[in-house]
Amino acid sequence: MSVNHVAAHFTPNSDSEVYHLKSSDVLKVDFGCQVNGRIIDCAFTVAFDSKYDQLLRAVKQATETGLREIGIDVRLADVGAAIYGSILRQR
């Protein structure tokens, strides 16, 4: 979990200083697991301040675009182009 400017994949340790979220914070949660050689990775962002609503909508739409575009024999560059296009349309 990481807050605000802290990069993704930060992992607090048991001796890390306790941090209490504020309503102005942006929290990123990234987690994954491996079972019998199969790996899953997932991430999501939570913000309580409405000033981030447009950003969160844009990220959600970009993710949904990528999921619609992906498939067998699809070039990753084409998926990336579709995602980029969806972001530009939101501006």
Side-chain angles (χ1 to χ4, degrees), residues 35-47:
V35 176
N36 297 327
R38 291 174 173 83
I39 299 171
I40 185 169
D41 183 56
C42 188
F44 62 91
T45 302
V46 178

Side-chain angles (χ1 to χ4, degrees), residues 7-23:
H9 299 154
F10 169 76
T11 302
N13 297 315
S14 60
D15 62 342
S16 294
E17 184 177 327
V18 173
Y19 182 81
H20 298 276
L21 285 176
K22 298 183 283 301
S23 61

Side-chain angles (χ1 to χ4, degrees), residues 40-54:
I40 185 169
D41 183 56
C42 188
F44 62 91
T45 302
V46 178
F48 307 101
D49 189 329
S50 62
K51 74 179 181 180
Y52 297 111
D53 288 352
Q54 185 177 357

Side-chain angles (χ1 to χ4, degrees), residues 22-33:
K22 298 183 283 301
S23 61
S24 60
D25 287 336
V26 176
L27 173 68
K28 287 96 55 190
V29 179
D30 190 331
F31 61 96
C33 68

Side-chain angles (χ1 to χ4, degrees), residues 66 69-84:
E69 296 293 322
I70 200 72
I72 296 172
D73 293 333
V74 174
R75 294 177 351 142
L76 290 180
D78 294 338
V79 175
I83 292 169
Y84 184 67

